[in-house]
Amino acid sequence: MCAQRATDLESFMQGVEAKNPGEVEFHQAVREVAADVIPWMQDHPIYLNLQMLERMAEPDRVVSFRVCWEDEEGNIRVNRGYRVQNNNAIGPYKGGLRFHPSVNQSILKFLAFEQTFKNSLTGLPIGGGKGGADFNPKGKTNREVMRFCQSFMTELYRHVGADVDVPAGDIGVGGREIGYMFGQYKRITNQFTGVLTGKGIEYGGSEMRPEATGYGAAYFLDEMLKTKGDSVRGKSVLISGSGNVATFAADKINHRGGKVLTLSDSGGFIHDPDGIDLEKVNWVKDLKNNRRGRISEYADHFKNATYHEGKRPWGVPADLAMPCATQNEISSDEAGTMLANGIIGVAEGANMPTHIDGIHQFLNAKILFGPAKAANAGGVAMSGLEMSQNSERRSWTNEELRNMLRDIMTGIHARCAEDGTQKDGWCNYVAGANIAGFKKVANAMLAFGVV
Ligand code: NDP
Ligand code: 2IT
Protein backbone atom coordinates (compact mmCIF):
# COMPACT_ATOMS: atom_id res chain seq x y z
CA MET A 1 0.00 0.00 0.00
CA CYS A 2 2.80 2.45 0.92
CA ALA A 3 3.96 3.40 -2.55
CA GLN A 4 0.63 2.99 -4.27
CA ARG A 5 -1.93 5.76 -4.46
CA ALA A 6 -5.55 5.02 -3.76
CA THR A 7 -6.66 5.33 -7.35
CA ASP A 8 -9.15 2.48 -7.23
CA LEU A 9 -11.04 0.87 -4.42
CA GLU A 10 -9.94 -2.73 -4.92
CA SER A 11 -6.21 -2.04 -5.12
CA PHE A 12 -6.47 0.27 -2.13
CA MET A 13 -8.31 -2.39 -0.13
CA GLN A 14 -5.80 -5.05 -1.12
CA GLY A 15 -3.15 -2.88 0.50
CA VAL A 16 -5.21 -2.34 3.66
CA GLU A 17 -6.00 -6.04 3.94
CA ALA A 18 -2.37 -7.08 3.44
CA LYS A 19 -1.21 -4.63 6.06
CA ASN A 20 -3.88 -5.52 8.62
CA PRO A 21 -4.35 -9.28 8.17
CA GLY A 22 -7.49 -10.83 9.60
CA GLU A 23 -8.88 -7.53 10.90
CA VAL A 24 -12.21 -7.97 9.15
CA GLU A 25 -14.17 -5.28 11.00
CA PHE A 26 -11.42 -2.76 10.30
CA HIS A 27 -11.40 -3.72 6.59
CA GLN A 28 -15.19 -3.29 6.49
CA ALA A 29 -15.11 0.19 8.03
CA VAL A 30 -12.29 1.36 5.76
CA ARG A 31 -13.98 -0.06 2.65
CA GLU A 32 -17.21 1.76 3.42
CA VAL A 33 -15.41 5.10 3.61
CA ALA A 34 -12.99 4.44 0.74
CA ALA A 35 -15.86 3.55 -1.64
CA ASP A 36 -17.04 7.17 -1.44
CA VAL A 37 -13.82 9.05 -0.80
CA ILE A 38 -11.70 7.51 -3.60
CA PRO A 39 -14.04 8.59 -6.44
CA TRP A 40 -14.35 12.03 -4.79
CA MET A 41 -10.54 12.37 -4.65
CA GLN A 42 -10.32 11.79 -8.42
CA ASP A 43 -11.83 15.26 -8.76
CA HIS A 44 -9.67 16.63 -5.93
CA PRO A 45 -6.26 15.14 -6.75
CA ILE A 46 -4.29 17.00 -4.11
CA TYR A 47 -5.70 14.61 -1.47
CA LEU A 48 -4.94 11.64 -3.67
CA ASN A 49 -1.35 12.74 -4.32
CA LEU A 50 -0.71 13.34 -0.64
CA GLN A 51 -2.11 9.86 0.23
CA MET A 52 -4.55 11.30 2.73
CA LEU A 53 -6.76 8.22 2.95
CA GLU A 54 -3.79 5.87 3.37
CA ARG A 55 -2.58 8.08 6.20
CA MET A 56 -5.98 8.14 7.93
CA ALA A 57 -6.26 4.35 7.66
CA GLU A 58 -2.99 3.92 9.58
CA PRO A 59 -3.63 4.73 13.27
CA ASP A 60 -1.21 7.21 14.85
CA ARG A 61 -0.58 4.47 17.40
CA VAL A 62 -2.12 1.36 18.96
CA VAL A 63 -1.32 0.66 22.59
CA SER A 64 -2.13 -2.70 24.13
CA PHE A 65 -1.42 -3.76 27.67
CA ARG A 66 -1.99 -6.39 30.34
CA VAL A 67 -4.70 -5.76 32.93
CA CYS A 68 -4.39 -7.95 36.04
CA TRP A 69 -7.01 -8.01 38.77
CA GLU A 70 -8.21 -10.27 41.54
CA ASP A 71 -11.72 -11.75 41.61
CA GLU A 72 -13.84 -12.41 44.72
CA GLU A 73 -12.39 -15.91 45.11
CA GLY A 74 -8.83 -14.58 45.09
CA ASN A 75 -8.09 -15.84 41.56
CA ILE A 76 -5.79 -13.70 39.44
CA ARG A 77 -7.45 -12.69 36.16
CA VAL A 78 -5.61 -11.36 33.12
CA ASN A 79 -7.31 -9.26 30.45
CA ARG A 80 -5.98 -7.26 27.53
CA GLY A 81 -6.54 -3.51 27.42
CA TYR A 82 -6.15 -1.24 24.37
CA ARG A 83 -6.19 2.35 23.24
CA VAL A 84 -6.21 3.07 19.51
CA GLN A 85 -5.25 6.69 18.79
CA ASN A 86 -6.30 7.02 15.19
CA ASN A 87 -5.93 10.68 14.27
CA ASN A 88 -5.51 13.96 16.17
CA ALA A 89 -5.35 16.39 13.24
CA ILE A 90 -8.34 18.43 14.42
CA GLY A 91 -8.20 17.95 18.19
CA PRO A 92 -7.23 15.59 21.03
CA TYR A 93 -8.07 11.93 20.43
CA LYS A 94 -11.65 11.34 21.58
CA GLY A 95 -13.78 8.22 21.72
CA GLY A 96 -15.24 5.63 24.02
CA LEU A 97 -13.98 2.59 25.90
CA ARG A 98 -15.69 -0.75 25.32
CA PHE A 99 -15.62 -3.59 27.85
CA HIS A 100 -16.93 -6.74 26.17
CA PRO A 101 -15.49 -10.25 25.70
CA SER A 102 -15.51 -9.75 21.90
CA VAL A 103 -13.14 -6.76 22.04
CA ASN A 104 -10.01 -7.15 19.91
CA GLN A 105 -7.68 -4.94 17.90
CA SER A 106 -9.76 -5.15 14.72
CA ILE A 107 -12.94 -3.98 16.44
CA LEU A 108 -11.19 -1.10 18.19
CA LYS A 109 -9.39 -0.04 15.00
CA PHE A 110 -12.69 0.04 13.11
CA LEU A 111 -14.27 2.08 15.89
CA ALA A 112 -11.33 4.53 16.10
CA PHE A 113 -11.33 4.96 12.30
CA GLU A 114 -15.09 5.64 12.25
CA GLN A 115 -14.74 7.98 15.20
CA THR A 116 -12.29 10.18 13.26
CA PHE A 117 -14.93 10.95 10.60
CA LYS A 118 -17.79 11.17 13.09
CA ASN A 119 -15.97 13.64 15.31
CA SER A 120 -15.08 15.74 12.28
CA LEU A 121 -18.76 15.87 11.29
CA THR A 122 -19.78 17.30 14.68
CA GLY A 123 -17.93 20.54 13.82
CA LEU A 124 -16.11 20.36 17.19
CA PRO A 125 -12.31 20.22 17.61
CA ILE A 126 -11.98 16.51 18.49
CA GLY A 127 -9.80 13.82 16.92
CA GLY A 128 -10.58 10.09 16.76
CA GLY A 129 -9.70 7.29 19.18
CA LYS A 130 -11.20 4.23 20.83
CA GLY A 131 -10.20 1.73 23.45
CA GLY A 132 -11.37 -0.92 25.83
CA ALA A 133 -10.72 -4.44 27.00
CA ASP A 134 -11.91 -8.01 26.51
CA PHE A 135 -13.29 -7.85 30.06
CA ASN A 136 -16.88 -9.01 30.58
CA PRO A 137 -18.60 -6.90 33.25
CA LYS A 138 -21.61 -9.28 33.25
CA GLY A 139 -21.94 -11.28 36.42
CA LYS A 140 -19.12 -9.39 38.14
CA THR A 141 -19.59 -7.80 41.54
CA ASN A 142 -19.19 -4.05 41.97
CA ARG A 143 -15.90 -4.62 43.74
CA GLU A 144 -14.59 -6.74 40.88
CA VAL A 145 -15.58 -4.07 38.35
CA MET A 146 -13.88 -1.44 40.53
CA ARG A 147 -10.68 -3.44 40.78
CA PHE A 148 -10.66 -4.04 37.03
CA CYS A 149 -11.24 -0.34 36.25
CA GLN A 150 -8.49 0.72 38.65
CA SER A 151 -6.02 -1.72 37.14
CA PHE A 152 -7.00 -0.67 33.60
CA MET A 153 -6.46 3.02 34.40
CA THR A 154 -3.16 2.30 36.16
CA GLU A 155 -1.73 1.65 32.69
CA LEU A 156 -4.01 3.82 30.54
CA TYR A 157 -3.25 7.02 32.49
CA ARG A 158 0.15 7.41 30.78
CA HIS A 159 -1.46 7.57 27.34
CA VAL A 160 -4.40 9.95 28.01
CA GLY A 161 -4.93 13.50 29.26
CA ALA A 162 -7.36 16.40 28.88
CA ASP A 163 -5.41 17.80 25.90
CA VAL A 164 -4.06 14.44 24.70
CA ASP A 165 -6.78 11.82 24.58
CA VAL A 166 -10.16 11.89 26.33
CA PRO A 167 -11.97 8.52 26.58
CA ALA A 168 -15.65 8.04 27.47
CA GLY A 169 -18.17 5.18 27.67
CA ASP A 170 -19.30 2.64 25.08
CA ILE A 171 -20.66 -0.93 25.38
CA GLY A 172 -20.17 -2.14 28.95
CA VAL A 173 -18.82 1.21 30.16
CA GLY A 174 -21.33 3.54 31.80
CA GLY A 175 -21.38 5.97 34.70
CA ARG A 176 -20.18 3.39 37.24
CA GLU A 177 -17.06 2.43 35.27
CA ILE A 178 -16.25 6.05 34.34
CA GLY A 179 -16.43 6.94 38.06
CA TYR A 180 -13.99 4.21 39.05
CA MET A 181 -11.57 5.14 36.24
CA PHE A 182 -11.75 8.87 36.94
CA GLY A 183 -11.11 8.23 40.63
CA GLN A 184 -8.03 6.19 39.82
CA TYR A 185 -6.68 8.76 37.33
CA LYS A 186 -7.09 11.52 39.94
CA ARG A 187 -5.41 9.38 42.57
CA ILE A 188 -2.38 8.52 40.39
CA THR A 189 -1.81 11.97 38.89
CA ASN A 190 -3.14 14.16 41.70
CA GLN A 191 -4.89 16.19 39.01
CA PHE A 192 -8.56 16.98 38.65
CA THR A 193 -8.88 17.43 34.89
CA GLY A 194 -11.39 16.57 32.19
CA VAL A 195 -9.57 13.38 31.20
CA LEU A 196 -12.79 11.40 30.73
CA THR A 197 -16.29 12.37 29.65
CA GLY A 198 -19.55 10.85 30.76
CA LYS A 199 -18.62 11.75 34.32
CA GLY A 200 -21.18 12.14 37.12
CA ILE A 201 -22.71 15.61 37.46
CA GLU A 202 -21.10 16.06 40.89
CA TYR A 203 -17.55 15.76 39.54
CA GLY A 204 -17.52 17.59 36.23
CA GLY A 205 -20.00 15.66 34.13
CA SER A 206 -22.41 17.31 31.74
CA GLU A 207 -26.18 17.44 31.81
CA MET A 208 -27.61 15.61 28.78
CA ARG A 209 -24.57 13.33 28.23
CA PRO A 210 -26.50 10.13 29.09
CA GLU A 211 -29.35 11.13 26.78
CA ALA A 212 -27.27 12.60 23.97
CA THR A 213 -26.58 9.63 21.66
CA GLY A 214 -30.13 8.26 21.64
CA TYR A 215 -31.78 11.68 21.50
CA GLY A 216 -29.34 12.79 18.80
CA ALA A 217 -30.10 9.74 16.65
CA ALA A 218 -33.84 10.43 16.93
CA TYR A 219 -33.26 14.09 15.99
CA PHE A 220 -31.28 12.91 12.96
CA LEU A 221 -34.13 10.59 11.96
CA ASP A 222 -36.53 13.50 12.26
CA GLU A 223 -34.26 15.72 10.15
CA MET A 224 -34.22 13.10 7.40
CA LEU A 225 -38.01 12.72 7.52
CA LYS A 226 -38.42 16.51 7.43
CA THR A 227 -36.84 16.58 3.96
CA LYS A 228 -39.91 14.57 2.83
CA GLY A 229 -42.34 16.81 4.72
CA ASP A 230 -42.81 13.95 7.18
CA SER A 231 -42.03 13.23 10.86
CA VAL A 232 -41.78 10.44 13.45
CA ARG A 233 -45.30 11.17 14.72
CA GLY A 234 -47.59 8.18 14.29
CA LYS A 235 -44.83 5.93 12.95
CA SER A 236 -43.86 2.51 14.31
CA VAL A 237 -40.18 2.07 15.16
CA LEU A 238 -37.99 -1.02 15.65
CA ILE A 239 -35.18 -0.45 18.15
CA SER A 240 -32.50 -3.00 19.00
CA GLY A 241 -30.43 -3.00 22.19
CA SER A 242 -31.61 -1.99 25.64
CA GLY A 243 -28.60 -0.06 26.89
CA ASN A 244 -27.73 3.61 26.96
CA VAL A 245 -28.33 4.42 23.29
CA ALA A 246 -31.42 2.27 22.79
CA THR A 247 -33.34 3.43 25.86
CA PHE A 248 -32.80 7.15 25.27
CA ALA A 249 -33.63 6.73 21.58
CA ALA A 250 -36.85 5.03 22.72
CA ASP A 251 -37.61 7.97 25.04
CA LYS A 252 -37.19 10.51 22.26
CA ILE A 253 -39.29 8.50 19.77
CA ASN A 254 -42.05 8.53 22.41
CA HIS A 255 -41.61 12.29 22.97
CA ARG A 256 -42.00 12.80 19.22
CA GLY A 257 -45.22 10.76 19.04
CA GLY A 258 -43.76 7.56 17.56
CA LYS A 259 -44.51 4.02 18.74
CA VAL A 260 -41.56 1.81 19.76
CA LEU A 261 -42.33 -1.84 19.04
CA THR A 262 -39.14 -3.68 20.01
CA LEU A 263 -36.00 -3.70 22.17
CA SER A 264 -33.35 -6.41 22.45
CA ASP A 265 -30.23 -7.64 24.17
CA SER A 266 -27.64 -10.32 23.49
CA GLY A 267 -30.21 -13.01 24.39
CA GLY A 268 -33.05 -12.05 22.03
CA PHE A 269 -35.70 -9.38 21.42
CA ILE A 270 -39.08 -8.38 22.82
CA HIS A 271 -42.02 -7.25 20.72
CA ASP A 272 -44.70 -5.17 22.41
CA PRO A 273 -47.55 -4.44 19.99
CA ASP A 274 -49.03 -1.96 22.51
CA GLY A 275 -45.89 0.14 22.22
CA ILE A 276 -43.00 0.58 24.66
CA ASP A 277 -44.04 3.88 26.23
CA LEU A 278 -41.98 6.12 28.54
CA GLU A 279 -43.02 4.25 31.67
CA LYS A 280 -42.04 0.92 30.14
CA VAL A 281 -38.70 2.36 28.96
CA ASN A 282 -38.02 3.45 32.56
CA TRP A 283 -38.78 -0.08 33.68
CA VAL A 284 -36.19 -1.34 31.16
CA LYS A 285 -33.58 1.20 32.36
CA ASP A 286 -34.06 -0.02 35.92
CA LEU A 287 -33.87 -3.66 34.75
CA LYS A 288 -30.63 -3.11 32.82
CA ASN A 289 -28.83 -0.48 34.93
CA ASN A 290 -29.79 -1.46 38.48
CA ARG A 291 -30.97 -5.04 38.44
CA ARG A 292 -28.66 -6.02 35.53
CA GLY A 293 -31.31 -8.41 34.22
CA ARG A 294 -32.25 -9.85 30.80
CA ILE A 295 -34.68 -8.24 28.34
CA SER A 296 -36.67 -11.53 28.39
CA GLU A 297 -38.01 -10.42 31.80
CA TYR A 298 -39.96 -7.67 29.98
CA ALA A 299 -42.29 -10.27 28.46
CA ASP A 300 -42.89 -11.85 31.88
CA HIS A 301 -43.85 -8.45 33.27
CA PHE A 302 -45.85 -6.92 30.35
CA LYS A 303 -48.30 -9.62 29.32
CA ASN A 304 -49.02 -8.54 25.71
CA ALA A 305 -45.34 -8.61 24.84
CA THR A 306 -43.55 -11.63 23.37
CA TYR A 307 -39.91 -12.67 23.74
CA HIS A 308 -37.97 -14.16 20.82
CA GLU A 309 -34.92 -16.03 22.07
CA GLY A 310 -31.80 -15.79 19.92
CA LYS A 311 -33.52 -13.54 17.34
CA ARG A 312 -33.20 -9.92 16.23
CA PRO A 313 -36.16 -7.60 15.74
CA TRP A 314 -35.83 -6.85 12.01
CA GLY A 315 -38.60 -9.21 10.86
CA VAL A 316 -41.31 -7.19 12.64
CA PRO A 317 -43.10 -4.93 10.11
CA ALA A 318 -42.58 -1.23 10.93
CA ASP A 319 -42.03 2.20 9.33
CA LEU A 320 -38.65 3.04 10.84
CA ALA A 321 -35.67 1.31 12.48
CA MET A 322 -32.93 2.32 14.88
CA PRO A 323 -30.28 -0.38 15.41
CA CYS A 324 -28.72 0.56 18.77
CA ALA A 325 -26.90 -2.59 19.98
CA THR A 326 -23.69 -3.50 18.13
CA GLN A 327 -21.86 -3.92 14.80
CA ASN A 328 -23.22 -6.09 11.97
CA GLU A 329 -26.57 -6.65 13.63
CA ILE A 330 -28.52 -6.10 10.37
CA SER A 331 -27.53 -8.71 7.80
CA SER A 332 -28.11 -8.44 4.08
CA ASP A 333 -31.13 -10.77 4.37
CA GLU A 334 -32.57 -8.79 7.25
CA ALA A 335 -32.21 -5.55 5.27
CA GLY A 336 -34.12 -7.25 2.45
CA THR A 337 -36.89 -8.28 4.85
CA MET A 338 -37.13 -4.75 6.25
CA LEU A 339 -37.47 -3.31 2.74
CA ALA A 340 -40.08 -5.93 1.81
CA ASN A 341 -42.00 -4.89 4.93
CA GLY A 342 -42.00 -1.27 3.75
CA ILE A 343 -39.38 0.37 5.97
CA ILE A 344 -38.90 4.05 4.98
CA GLY A 345 -36.06 5.16 7.25
CA VAL A 346 -33.14 3.80 9.28
CA ALA A 347 -31.00 5.80 11.72
CA GLU A 348 -27.99 3.92 13.09
CA GLY A 349 -27.54 4.45 16.83
CA ALA A 350 -24.89 1.73 17.11
CA ASN A 351 -21.55 1.80 15.26
CA MET A 352 -21.56 -0.06 11.91
CA PRO A 353 -24.73 -2.03 12.77
CA THR A 354 -25.64 -2.66 9.14
CA HIS A 355 -23.60 -5.12 7.12
CA ILE A 356 -22.12 -3.51 4.00
CA ASP A 357 -24.46 -5.51 1.68
CA GLY A 358 -27.41 -4.33 3.76
CA ILE A 359 -26.29 -0.72 3.33
CA HIS A 360 -26.14 -1.23 -0.44
CA GLN A 361 -29.69 -2.57 -0.42
CA PHE A 362 -30.98 0.41 1.56
CA LEU A 363 -29.15 2.83 -0.74
CA ASN A 364 -30.36 1.10 -3.90
CA ALA A 365 -33.91 1.33 -2.57
CA LYS A 366 -33.29 5.07 -1.91
CA ILE A 367 -34.81 5.04 1.54
CA LEU A 368 -33.70 7.51 4.22
CA PHE A 369 -30.58 5.87 5.63
CA GLY A 370 -28.65 7.74 8.34
CA PRO A 371 -25.23 6.08 8.83
CA ALA A 372 -23.74 5.76 12.29
CA LYS A 373 -21.01 8.34 11.92
CA ALA A 374 -23.71 10.97 11.34
CA ALA A 375 -26.73 9.66 13.23
CA ASN A 376 -25.03 8.67 16.50
CA ALA A 377 -22.62 11.61 16.70
CA GLY A 378 -24.75 13.33 19.36
CA GLY A 379 -23.03 11.40 22.14
CA VAL A 380 -19.50 12.39 21.29
CA ALA A 381 -20.68 15.91 20.50
CA MET A 382 -22.06 16.21 24.04
CA SER A 383 -18.74 14.81 25.26
CA GLY A 384 -17.05 17.64 23.35
CA LEU A 385 -19.31 20.08 25.17
CA GLU A 386 -18.41 18.39 28.47
CA MET A 387 -14.74 19.07 27.63
CA SER A 388 -15.57 22.74 26.97
CA GLN A 389 -17.39 23.04 30.29
CA ASN A 390 -14.47 21.39 32.13
CA SER A 391 -11.99 23.79 30.50
CA GLU A 392 -14.11 26.75 31.49
CA ARG A 393 -14.77 25.33 34.98
CA ARG A 394 -18.49 25.92 34.59
CA SER A 395 -21.69 24.03 33.71
CA TRP A 396 -24.33 24.82 31.17
CA THR A 397 -27.99 24.06 31.88
CA ASN A 398 -29.92 21.10 30.60
CA GLU A 399 -31.94 23.36 28.32
CA GLU A 400 -28.88 25.11 26.89
CA LEU A 401 -27.26 21.77 26.15
CA ARG A 402 -30.40 20.28 24.63
CA ASN A 403 -30.59 23.22 22.23
CA MET A 404 -26.89 22.83 21.38
CA LEU A 405 -27.39 19.11 20.70
CA ARG A 406 -30.32 19.83 18.40
CA ASP A 407 -28.29 22.46 16.53
CA ILE A 408 -25.31 20.11 16.20
CA MET A 409 -27.49 17.30 14.79
CA THR A 410 -29.12 19.75 12.35
CA GLY A 411 -25.63 20.89 11.33
CA ILE A 412 -24.46 17.31 10.74
CA HIS A 413 -27.54 16.64 8.65
CA ALA A 414 -26.85 19.76 6.57
CA ARG A 415 -23.19 18.76 6.04
CA CYS A 416 -24.24 15.29 4.85
CA ALA A 417 -26.91 16.76 2.58
CA GLU A 418 -24.42 19.16 1.02
CA ASP A 419 -22.04 16.38 -0.04
CA GLY A 420 -24.58 13.58 -0.47
CA THR A 421 -27.57 14.99 -2.34
CA GLN A 422 -27.92 13.48 -5.82
CA LYS A 423 -29.29 15.03 -9.01
CA ASP A 424 -32.73 13.49 -8.43
CA GLY A 425 -32.92 15.11 -4.97
CA TRP A 426 -32.42 11.88 -2.97
CA CYS A 427 -29.68 12.15 -0.37
CA ASN A 428 -27.03 9.46 -0.02
CA TYR A 429 -26.18 10.24 3.61
CA VAL A 430 -23.46 7.58 3.61
CA ALA A 431 -21.51 9.35 0.88
CA GLY A 432 -22.30 12.76 2.38
CA ALA A 433 -21.02 11.76 5.83
CA ASN A 434 -17.88 10.11 4.47
CA ILE A 435 -16.89 12.98 2.20
CA ALA A 436 -17.76 15.80 4.62
CA GLY A 437 -16.02 14.01 7.51
CA PHE A 438 -12.94 13.32 5.40
CA LYS A 439 -12.53 16.86 4.04
CA LYS A 440 -12.06 18.61 7.37
CA VAL A 441 -9.49 16.13 8.66
CA ALA A 442 -7.65 16.07 5.31
CA ASN A 443 -7.48 19.87 5.15
CA ALA A 444 -5.98 20.02 8.64
CA MET A 445 -3.41 17.38 7.67
CA LEU A 446 -2.62 19.37 4.54
CA ALA A 447 -1.64 22.31 6.73
CA PHE A 448 0.80 20.18 8.74
CA GLY A 449 2.80 18.91 5.76
CA VAL A 450 4.07 15.35 5.71
CA VAL A 451 3.88 14.16 9.31
P1 NDP B 1 -24.63 -0.51 26.45
O1 NDP B 1 -23.61 -1.38 27.02
O2 NDP B 1 -25.32 0.49 27.30
O3 NDP B 1 -25.77 -1.39 25.74
C1 NDP B 1 -25.44 -2.30 24.74
C2 NDP B 1 -26.70 -3.03 24.32
O4 NDP B 1 -26.43 -3.81 23.15
C3 NDP B 1 -27.17 -4.02 25.37
O5 NDP B 1 -28.57 -4.16 25.25
C4 NDP B 1 -26.45 -5.30 24.96
O6 NDP B 1 -27.08 -6.50 25.40
C5 NDP B 1 -26.53 -5.21 23.46
N1 NDP B 1 -25.41 -5.91 22.85
C6 NDP B 1 -24.10 -5.68 23.05
N2 NDP B 1 -23.36 -6.54 22.34
C7 NDP B 1 -24.23 -7.33 21.69
C8 NDP B 1 -24.08 -8.41 20.79
N3 NDP B 1 -22.87 -8.85 20.42
N4 NDP B 1 -25.22 -8.98 20.28
C9 NDP B 1 -26.44 -8.53 20.66
N5 NDP B 1 -26.65 -7.50 21.50
C10 NDP B 1 -25.55 -6.92 22.00
O7 NDP B 1 -23.93 0.22 25.19
P2 NDP B 1 -24.35 1.53 24.43
O8 NDP B 1 -25.83 1.67 24.40
O9 NDP B 1 -23.52 2.64 24.92
O10 NDP B 1 -23.81 1.20 22.96
C11 NDP B 1 -24.62 0.59 21.96
C12 NDP B 1 -24.05 0.90 20.59
O11 NDP B 1 -24.02 2.32 20.39
C13 NDP B 1 -22.60 0.44 20.36
O12 NDP B 1 -22.46 0.09 19.00
C14 NDP B 1 -21.79 1.69 20.65
O13 NDP B 1 -20.54 1.67 20.00
C15 NDP B 1 -22.71 2.75 20.05
N6 NDP B 1 -22.52 4.12 20.51
C16 NDP B 1 -22.57 4.44 21.83
C17 NDP B 1 -22.45 5.76 22.23
C18 NDP B 1 -22.58 6.18 23.65
O14 NDP B 1 -22.57 7.38 23.89
N7 NDP B 1 -22.78 5.27 24.61
C19 NDP B 1 -22.19 6.82 21.25
C20 NDP B 1 -22.25 6.39 19.88
C21 NDP B 1 -22.38 5.07 19.54
P3 NDP B 1 -26.68 -7.15 26.82
O15 NDP B 1 -27.37 -6.31 27.85
O16 NDP B 1 -27.18 -8.53 26.75
O17 NDP B 1 -25.19 -7.06 26.92
O1 2IT C 1 -19.03 5.73 19.57
C1 2IT C 1 -19.08 6.82 20.19
O2 2IT C 1 -19.21 7.89 19.60
C2 2IT C 1 -19.02 6.78 21.65
N1 2IT C 1 -18.98 5.70 22.23
C3 2IT C 1 -18.97 8.05 22.43
C4 2IT C 1 -17.57 8.58 22.48
C5 2IT C 1 -17.35 9.77 23.38
O3 2IT C 1 -16.19 10.17 23.48
O4 2IT C 1 -18.30 10.32 23.95
Side-chain angles (χ1 to χ4, degrees):
M1 180 172 93
C2 307
Q4 188 168 358
R5 287 177 201 162
T7 46
D8 81 89
L9 178 62
E10 291 314 321
S11 64
F12 173 72
M13 285 311 303
Q14 267 172 22
V16 171
E17 286 165 20
K19 220 174 180 187
N20 304 277
E23 296 187 342
V24 289
E25 293 85 1
F26 180 61
H27 304 163
Q28 184 181 339
V30 174
R31 176 178 283 278
E32 194 226 282
V33 169
D36 292 317
V37 168
I38 290 176
W40 179 85
M41 287 195 298
Q42 312 288 349
D43 297 330
H44 304 82
I46 182 156
Y47 302 102
L48 204 58
N49 295 340
L50 290 172
Q51 314 231 57
M52 285 303 180
L53 191 59
E54 286 88 341
R55 287 154 70 179
M56 286 183 209
E58 184 65 35
D60 289 355
R61 66 191 63 78
V62 179
V63 183
S64 98
F65 48 93
R66 181 179 67 234
V67 186
C68 279
W69 56 283
E70 200 175 337
D71 69 18
E72 296 293 16
E73 283 78 49
N75 302 308
I76 305 302
R77 304 283 199 101
V78 184
N79 286 99
R80 185 172 297 171
Y82 300 88
R83 189 70 183 165
V84 179
Q85 298 179 329
N86 196 70
N87 188 297
N88 68 352
I90 62 168
Y93 305 107
K94 181 84 198 85
L97 295 170
R98 178 176 290 191
F99 291 169
H100 193 272
S102 64
V103 161
N104 59 32
Q105 186 167 297
S106 169
I107 288 179
L108 295 180
K109 277 169 68 177
F110 115 63
L111 288 162
F113 180 79
E114 282 276 297
Q115 198 82 45
T116 303
F117 297 84
K118 182 196 306 193
N119 293 4
S120 164
L121 277 174
T122 65
L124 300 173
I126 39 181
K130 200 86 185 190
D134 59 355
F135 171 73
N136 186 359
K138 273 198 202 120
K140 305 289 187 302
T141 65
N142 271 331
R143 294 188 330 169
E144 287 174 327
V145 171
M146 181 181 75
R147 285 198 290 270
F148 177 81
C149 289
Q150 290 175 341
S151 183
F152 182 81
M153 186 48 92
T154 301
E155 172 61 31
L156 186 69
Y157 90 97
R158 354 170 165 268
H159 310 291
V160 297
D163 294 317
V164 179
D165 182 353
V166 183
D170 192 78
I171 292 177
V173 177
R176 174 181 64 168
E177 291 76 16
I178 293 290
Y180 291 146
M181 289 190 272
F182 186 78
Q184 184 72 350
Y185 183 86
K186 187 169 67 57
R187 181 187 185 193
I188 295 172
T189 62
N190 197 27
Q191 287 183 358
F192 194 110
T193 64
V195 66
L196 293 166
T197 60
K199 299 184 292 296
I201 294 292
E202 304 78 9
Y203 58 95
S206 176
E207 291 283 348
M208 286 298 294
R209 179 62 189 89
E211 295 88 341
T213 312
Y215 278 22
Y219 292 150
F220 195 88
L221 186 57
D222 235 2
E223 284 297 317
M224 293 196 297
L225 287 162
K226 224 192 269 175
T227 64
K228 304 274 176 208
D230 208 343
S231 78
V232 167
R233 183 159 298 283
K235 303 264 184 324
S236 53
V237 188
L238 306 178
I239 298 183
S240 65
S242 47
N244 172 267
V245 181
T247 52
F248 285 106
D251 278 349
K252 187 50 72 185
I253 293 297
N254 275 294
H255 297 160
R256 292 286 166 106
K259 185 176 183 181
V260 178
L261 293 181
T262 63
L263 288 172
S264 72
D265 67 12
S266 48
F269 81 92
I270 54 104
H271 175 202
D272 187 343
D274 299 338
I276 305 168
D277 61 19
L278 289 170
E279 212 173 298
K280 292 172 176 173
V281 178
N282 278 339
W283 187 92
V284 172
K285 286 181 190 167
D286 178 55
L287 172 78
K288 285 300 198 177
N289 299 336
N290 302 326
R291 293 185 277 135
R292 300 199 181 261
R294 314 290 308 162
I295 200 67
S296 58
E297 294 170 49
Y298 183 102
D300 301 331
H301 192 79
F302 299 103
K303 292 300 173 201
N304 276 348
T306 50
Y307 174 62
H308 306 264
E309 176 85 26
K311 297 240 158 60
R312 300 190 285 224
W314 315 125
V316 177
D319 304 310
L320 300 167
M322 300 183 74
C324 296
T326 193
Q327 64 273 0
N328 289 326
E329 55 167 322
I330 300 181
S331 68
S332 179
D333 285 352
E334 285 165 324
T337 305
M338 290 158 86
L339 287 169
N341 284 339
I343 204 98
I344 60 167
V346 177
E348 294 187 323
N351 285 309
M352 207 167 77
T354 312
H355 191 273
I356 209 155
D357 299 334
I359 295 179
H360 291 153
Q361 288 197 55
F362 289 142
L363 297 184
N364 288 338
K366 298 202 167 187
I367 65 160
L368 301 169
F369 179 76
K373 57 175 79 64
N376 75 29
V380 75
M382 192 54 65
S383 280
L385 300 179
E386 184 172 330
M387 290 165 70
S388 305
Q389 293 170 85
N390 291 167
S391 299
E392 275 194 67
R393 303 263 191 271
R394 61 174 295 208
S395 306
W396 294 322
T397 65
N398 190 295
E399 196 186 338
E400 286 172 312
L401 289 159
R402 195 160 354 147
N403 290 334
M404 289 187 220
L405 176 63
R406 217 176 285 131
D407 287 349
I408 287 172
M409 296 313 297
T410 309
I412 295 171
H413 180 272
R415 268 170 226 127
C416 294
E418 196 180 318
D419 282 302
T421 303
Q422 318 268 293
K423 287 199 185 75
D424 63 1
W426 171 72
C427 184
N428 180 340
Y429 290 96
V430 176
N434 287 336
I435 293 165
F438 173 82
K439 273 197 290 195
K440 184 179 174 189
V441 179
N443 286 336
M445 289 168 70
L446 211 58
F448 304 147
V450 180
V451 287

